[in-house]
């Protein structure tokens, strides 16, 4: 199994060139993307959050310790799917260049990865957040579940199936964004195996979590109740120690972020609220790991592991 897990995002330079893919047995490709997650929020990078599935991928694959991204959402997504710097394709702010930033429209030559993979026989699937100009099906994807309402993890008003708007999800139906995104990705893989067993696929699974607002299923939050009661000052030292032991960093702890008070200056009520918020954030990462485990189990069940590149 070819596995390349990353704490945040990856570039396409790792993948074989399209011309190479045309001449060899084509692997399936899956990209998992987390939104606004720190690299040390994974267990394999020193976190106290339970991420056994991603930790397993790290043990059996390649773990990057000097990797960088744009630290923002839309430029990173543009870089991943085009292979260019975000500034080159008008998806980031460049002084004196209009349009830019979120309103930027990619040049005609800046096609997305699925458009190139289609030329060598791939079927492509998108599940989750988009945040790129245009729409998924107009940019090379064959099927898509696009969750545009990123502020409502439990009851989104705006989401699309194959670029057609779906009815709003009603509260209390058991919907959760991370699970719904994963279920669509799995459904695409299962349908693909049933209808196109000899065709390679590309699956782009773009989670919203753990981006603000922090929301998670209650059973996941319960796992981390009181886990962060010691406060951020103590826990950041503990995490730094683990990261050092893993050989990922060799530096002193940075100063506390300006504007963030010392934990022991907060009253008990504020400490309890912040501990609960950190528990919810941890639960979001935990749930994502669980859902990635479901995808990996699907690959195993369908006997796809040996010919799938996972990033």
């Amino acid at each position: 199994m070819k596995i390349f897990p990353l704490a945040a995002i990856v570039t396409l330079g790792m993948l074989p060139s399209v011309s190479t893919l045309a001449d060899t047995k084509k692997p399936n490709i899956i990209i998992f993307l987390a939104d606004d997650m720190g690299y040390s929020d994974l267990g394999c990078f020193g976190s106290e959050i339970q991420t056994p599935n991603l930790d397993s991928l790290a043990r059996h694959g390649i773990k990057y310790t000097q990797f960088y991204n744009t630290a923002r959402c839309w430029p990173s997504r543009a870089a991943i799917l085009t292979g260019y710097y975000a500034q080159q394709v008008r998806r980031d702010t460049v002084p004196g260049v209009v349009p830019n930033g979120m309103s930027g429209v990619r040049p005609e030559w800046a096609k997305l990865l699925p458009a190139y993979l289609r030329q060598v026989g791939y079927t492509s699937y998108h599940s989750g957040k988009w945040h790129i100009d245009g729409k998924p099906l107009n940019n090379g994807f064959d099927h898509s579940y696009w969750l545009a309402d990123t502020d409502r993890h439990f009851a989104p008003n705006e989401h699309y199936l194959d670029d057609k708007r779906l009815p709003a999800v009603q509260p209390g139906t058991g919907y959760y964004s991370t699970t719904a995104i994963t279920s669509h990705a799995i459904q695409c893989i299962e349908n693909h195996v049933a209808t196109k067993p000899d065709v390679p696929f590309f699956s782009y699974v773009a989670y919203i979590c753990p981006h603000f607002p922090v929301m998670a299923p209650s059973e996941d939050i319960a796992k981390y109740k009181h886990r962060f009661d010691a406060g951020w000052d103590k826990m950041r030292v503990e995490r730094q120690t683990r990261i050092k032991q893993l050989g990922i960093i060799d530096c002193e702890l940075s100063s506390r972020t300006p504007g963030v008070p010392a934990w022991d200056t907060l009253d008990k009520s504020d400490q309890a609220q912040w501990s609960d918020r950190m528990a919810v954030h941890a639960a979001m990462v935990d749930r994502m790991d669980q859902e990635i485990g479901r995808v990996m189990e699907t690959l195993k069940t369908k006997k796809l592991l040996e010919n799938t590149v996972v990033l």
Side-chain angles (χ1 to χ4, degrees):
M1 177 168 51
K2 309 171 186 69
I3 308 174
F4 302 90
L6 294 178
I9 60 174
V10 298
T11 64
L12 299 177
M14 300 163 52
L15 298 175
S17 67
V18 172
S19 60
T20 301
L21 287 175
D23 300 326
T24 61
K25 179 174 174 54
K26 304 177 183 68
N28 303 308
I29 303 166
I30 299 179
I31 295 179
F32 293 113
L33 179 62
D35 194 343
D36 203 27
M37 184 178 77
Y39 77 90
S40 68
D41 284 337
L42 295 182
C44 55
F45 283 90
S47 179
E48 61 285 328
I49 302 172
Q50 299 174 31
T51 56
N53 293 294
L54 287 165
D55 295 350
S56 177
L57 294 182
R59 285 194 303 272
H60 297 95
I62 298 173
K63 184 170 68 173
Y64 286 80
T65 57
Q66 289 186 314
F67 180 86
Y68 306 90
N69 63 62
T70 72
R72 286 186 294 170
C73 179
W74 69 93
S76 296
R77 295 169 196 277
I80 289 173
L81 289 183
T82 66
Y84 290 95
Y85 288 111
Q87 293 87 351
Q88 292 176 289
V89 294
R90 303 175 188 157
R91 295 299 294 165
D92 198 7
T93 300
V94 181
V97 177
V98 180
N100 54 36
M102 292 178 64
S103 62
V105 177
R106 285 172 292 118
E108 184 68 24
W109 49 263
K111 299 183 184 301
L112 302 188
L113 177 60
Y116 295 103
L117 291 177
R118 178 176 286 175
Q119 298 174 18
V120 289
Y122 277 74
T123 298
S124 296
Y125 305 105
H126 160 256
S127 306
K129 191 170 180 177
W130 183 240
H131 215 171
I132 303 174
D133 58 303
K135 296 180 178 180
L137 266 60
N138 291 334
N139 283 277
F141 286 98
D142 294 274
H143 291 288
S144 165
Y145 173 61
W146 170 15
L147 182 52
D149 193 353
T150 58
D151 289 338
R152 296 179 176 86
H153 288 282
F154 291 105
N157 289 328
E158 186 179 359
H159 57 154
Y160 302 82
L161 185 63
D162 291 344
D163 293 351
K164 295 181 179 179
R165 188 161 183 168
L166 295 169
V169 177
Q170 297 304 308
T173 59
Y175 180 102
Y176 184 61
S177 63
T178 305
T179 301
I181 290 167
T182 304
S183 294
H184 178 264
I186 290 174
Q187 182 182 44
C188 288
I189 292 172
E190 292 178 338
N191 290 343
H192 183 94
V193 172
T195 60
K196 303 178 180 180
D198 299 321
V199 175
F201 68 82
F202 166 50
S203 177
Y204 173 52
V205 187
Y207 293 114
I208 297 172
C209 69
H211 194 287
F212 183 86
V214 288
M215 299 176 178
S218 57
E219 63 269 25
D220 296 327
I221 298 173
K223 293 170 62 175
Y224 296 95
K225 185 69 175 177
H226 301 304
R227 179 65 180 85
F228 299 92
D229 285 355
W232 47 60
D233 286 327
K234 180 179 179 180
M235 299 201 72
R236 66 198 295 261
V237 172
E238 293 176 349
R239 188 178 286 196
Q240 183 213 23
T241 299
R242 290 192 294 270
I243 300 173
K244 277 190 170 183
Q245 291 172 345
L246 290 169
I248 296 171
I249 63 170
D250 184 19
C251 60
E252 298 305 312
L253 189 67
S254 62
S255 301
R256 191 187 303 111
T257 302
V260 176
W263 182 261
D264 59 11
T265 65
L266 301 175
D267 61 38
K268 295 298 183 182
S269 175
D270 285 340
Q271 287 181 349
Q273 290 186 36
W274 281 112
S275 177
D276 286 345
R277 293 180 189 183
M278 289 188 280
V280 179
H281 175 269
M284 295 179 80
V285 176
D286 187 307
R287 171 56 59 172
M288 180 181 66
D289 183 82
Q290 294 178 53
E291 299 298 342
I292 288 174
R294 282 211 296 145
V295 177
M296 299 307 297
E297 184 60 30
T298 299
L299 295 179
K300 181 179 179 180
T301 301
K302 299 300 180 181
K303 303 187 186 306
L304 299 172
L305 282 177
E306 297 305 318
N307 194 42
T308 299
V309 179
V310 179
L311 305 101

